[in-house]
Amino acid sequence: MTTAAITDRRVAEVAASGAPFDPDALVRHGEPVIVRGLVRDWPIVTAGRQSDAAAADYLLSFYSGQPGVGYTAPAEAGGRYFYDDSLTRLAFAAERVDLAAYLRRMLAGVEAEAGASFYVGSTDLGQFFPGLAAAGNDLALDAAVFGQALRSIWIGTRTIASAHYDMSNNIACVAVGRRRFTLFPPDQIANLYPGPLEPTPGGQVVSLVDFRAPDLDRFPAFAEAQRHARVAELEPGDAIVYPALWWHHVEALSDFNVMINYWWNASPAFMDSPMTTILHALLSLRDRPPAEKASWAAMFDYYVFGDAGRAAAHLPAPAQGALAPLDARTARLLRAQLLQRINR
């Protein structure tokens, strides 16, 4: 087995300042950026500096009591939440848990359970820990842009989230513990060897490459992905901002870790997920003859990927139909038309 290490290309950094924080401007640069000390004054960061127990006690003082989902992986997984050898089943357990009891189980230490790891993945901050953000653990963000941002909390021991992408821009704030992000631009998708569309460990397709020991015999193109990797080492109080569709491999490096993240997207809420388009394209386009697919690629460039106004520019407004700029009403009409065609 041929292996190689990740190229150590560091993510660009800026220091937090007294000026208003504008992650949207950072995202427009098209690269991930570390913001050192962005959340260093959050009370949960202060509690974590005291001890893991102090951080857990502070966090649980806001717990709503609603059961959440806890993920537990056996020692042989080494903290990696992944598949079994068949790639058809997940190699960890998911169960509804009382989060207070589950956090105490984390703090009891992995040695008590033969090296098992514990993980609470993307969990709605307002639903499960109401009042935490209002107590000073929040970012002052422009409501016009971030009013619909999804705030999530992540809690766990020494865990690994295999490289995956999100369909929204992300601000990931490290509150307790240390984390390492390894990021890749979207054009590296083929070199990361994406796994099955279903099931997935956390809702998104993940890379099949084990970053701890990349097997270049099985995944030779990963060597090219390594050339494009960006690495970010984050301490408590640091944050990283990165654009939608950037692949990111996330390692929690401390015994107890807490992260709060913000997902946002400038697209209107009435727009469908592009993943829906990919699934439909698998059904309608992928297995057509190559020459025909090339012709359809030109059609997509004209109607979808090119200038948004070009296809309708020569048509009078009443005749533009779905080619006109979308709003909530025309999106509903277009969705109904699609459903009618799919359910033929």
Side-chain angles (χ1 to χ4, degrees), residues 24 144-145 167-169 264-269 271:
D24 216 37
V145 179
M167 287 184 281
S168 295
N169 306 312
W264 86 98
N265 199 298
S267 300
M271 293 187 69

Side-chain angles (χ1 to χ4, degrees), residues 47 51-63 70 72 97-113 116-120 129 155-157 255-258:
S51 68
D52 293 345
D57 288 342
Y58 178 79
L59 182 59
L60 291 173
S61 70
F62 298 94
Y63 178 39
T72 306
V97 296
D98 176 88
L99 292 180
Y102 196 71
L103 263 63
R104 302 298 178 200
R105 190 173 164 193
M106 288 185 192
L107 293 175
V110 293
E111 292 183 3
E113 301 202 28
S117 63
F118 308 96
Y119 181 51
V120 176
F129 299 96
I155 312 164
T157 56
D255 290 337
F256 183 67
N257 304 270
V258 179

